[in-house]
Amino acid sequence: MNRVDRLHAILTILQSKRVVKAEELATHFNLSIRTVYRDIRALEEGGIPIGAEAGVGYFLTDGFHLPPVMFTHEEARALLLAGKFIEQQTDQGTAKSFNDALTKVRAVIDNDKKDELDSLNQKILIQPYPNTKPTVEDLNLTLIKGALITNKILKLDYSTARETTERDVEPIGICFYRTNWHLIAYCRLRKDYRDFRLDRINKIKVSSETFLRIKHPTLKEYFDKMLQEEELFSVEIKVSKDILPHLQESKYTFGLIEENPEEDGTQMRFATYSLDYFARWILMMGNKVEILSPSELRDKTLKLVEDLSSHYLK
């Protein structure tokens, strides 16, 4: 970072807090304390009203603002809440970029509301369900977003359950569904569009080669077509009252589209992509669920029970 950018960044941090210690600035920018003193002096010489108190730190005098844009308090709170989701469902690079942006938001709100935002930050928690938080530190979201903007070919080292292959792909978009981030791209190896889970990409590189974006569908067009072509299975079950509270949000994960409470339980209707996957979920409920349809689901669940029984009765 050059000095001009650093001075601007220091000013942003000064605006984001009531008081900032020299040691905090030194650690943040990897500087010596002496360099921090020189930078503060340079800002003062540029007309920035910086106050200092021995043993406490630096602060900007009340009423001073140099905002690129003003945010309302509700907008700042909404961005704080969004940041909680981003921390849980993206990689470290994206989360850091958002937190840096949030620091700039804090810089342009009134001093009396900065403490309120800090307090609110301690009172919001996004607790992910097991296995919904990315399992790798870097999902390469920043790199992929750059390739999407510049229409560059991505070179992937990609693993599936069966094999690991090298792919040259033309990216058309990224999306988050079924608890994972996915890259939708035209695969030159398979000569068709493919869905790549980001946590299965072992290595990724942006090529210097560009492609013609206009020849590909938009991300929305791709998913509209996929949903029209993909087979969905309609499932109806009846769940007893005592187990219903334990299903919580998992029922939505499995495609719940309707539920009707009755005296002795709740009847539910689902649209699912996989009866095998659904049967395993059903098995977790034991005798607290009745499969109404289709009969194929009952057969698959019974087969799982038989396999399980055979395994433990050996």
Side-chain angles (χ1 to χ4, degrees), residues 7-286:
L7 291 176
H8 186 271
I10 289 174
L11 177 56
T12 297
I13 291 176
L14 286 170
Q15 287 183 283
S16 72
K17 296 185 176 183
R18 286 185 177 275
V19 178
V20 181
K21 294 183 178 180
E23 293 80 5
E24 183 179 348
L25 292 173
T27 300
H28 185 87
F29 294 101
N30 195 24
L31 302 173
S32 67
I33 294 294
R34 182 173 296 180
T35 300
V36 170
Y37 293 158
R38 286 200 296 265
D39 285 350
I40 293 295
R41 190 158 52 248
L43 288 171
E44 290 174 329
E45 291 172 354
I48 307 300
I50 299 176
E53 185 174 344
V56 178
Y58 298 107
F59 56 90
L60 294 174
T61 59
D62 288 338
F64 175 81
H65 282 293
L66 192 62
V69 63
M70 291 300 295
F71 292 91
T72 67
H73 301 320
E74 284 302 321
E75 289 169 342
R77 292 166 189 160
L79 287 170
L80 175 65
L81 182 60
K84 295 291 185 177
F85 281 99
I86 288 174
E87 286 177 358
Q88 293 295 337
Q89 300 297 352
T90 62
D91 56 12
Q92 288 187 347
T94 302
K96 181 182 183 305
S97 295
F98 189 90
N99 285 329
D100 289 344
L102 192 57
T103 296
K104 295 177 182 178
V105 173
R106 292 173 183 268
V108 297
I109 63 175
D110 296 336
N111 279 336
D112 62 338
K113 294 298 180 182
K114 289 173 183 173
D115 291 339
E116 175 190 295
L117 211 58
D118 286 335
S119 175
L120 182 61
N121 185 48
Q122 304 300 319
K123 298 172 182 175
I124 298 175
L125 174 66
I126 305 298
Q127 184 64 41
Y129 284 99
N131 302 321
T132 61
K133 185 174 174 58
T135 55
V136 292
E137 291 184 354
D138 188 4
L139 295 174
N140 299 296
L141 283 167
T142 301
L143 185 149
I144 293 172
K145 285 184 290 185
L148 286 169
I149 292 170
T150 57
N151 296 327
K152 293 289 182 66
I153 301 293
L154 288 171
K155 294 182 175 293
L156 311 180
D157 182 273
Y158 188 74
S159 293
T160 65
R162 299 187 302 273
E163 60 180 352
T164 297
T165 54
E166 293 182 357
R167 314 279 190 103
D168 285 0
V169 304
E170 302 176 13
I172 65 172
I174 52 176
C175 56
F176 184 86
Y177 71 94
R178 297 181 189 173
T179 71
N180 285 288
W181 280 97
H182 298 250
L183 166 67
I184 309 301
Y186 179 81
C187 178
R188 291 183 171 181
L189 177 65
R190 305 304 187 201
K191 301 188 186 310
D192 200 357
Y193 295 99
R194 289 291 187 267
D195 182 331
F196 301 96
R197 269 181 47 175
L198 298 196
D199 59 342
R200 293 178 177 172
I201 298 175
N202 306 311
K203 296 179 183 178
I204 185 169
K205 180 181 179 182
V206 179
S207 168
S208 59
E209 181 184 357
T210 59
F211 66 93
L212 189 61
R213 178 65 182 82
I214 196 171
K215 69 180 182 179
H216 296 305
T218 65
L219 193 60
K220 183 179 183 303
E221 290 170 342
Y222 169 84
F223 273 101
D224 287 345
K225 184 173 184 293
M226 183 191 74
L227 291 174
Q228 290 173 2
E229 295 177 348
E230 191 163 4
E231 182 181 8
L232 288 174
F233 298 94
S234 178
V235 170
E236 291 189 18
I237 62 174
K238 188 172 182 179
V239 179
S240 66
K241 288 183 177 181
D242 54 343
I243 197 174
L244 186 62
H246 299 288
L247 300 184
Q248 298 181 353
E249 298 299 315
S250 64
K251 60 188 178 183
Y252 300 107
T253 303
F254 285 87
L256 178 71
I257 56 177
E258 184 181 358
E259 60 180 322
N260 298 302
E262 300 177 353
E263 287 187 9
D264 56 345
T266 297
Q267 190 165 319
M268 298 179 173
R269 186 160 64 92
F270 296 80
T272 182
Y273 294 94
S274 171
L275 289 180
D276 292 316
Y277 188 47
F278 201 91
R280 284 169 169 76
W281 183 56
I282 288 287
L283 196 60
M284 296 170 58
M285 302 182 207

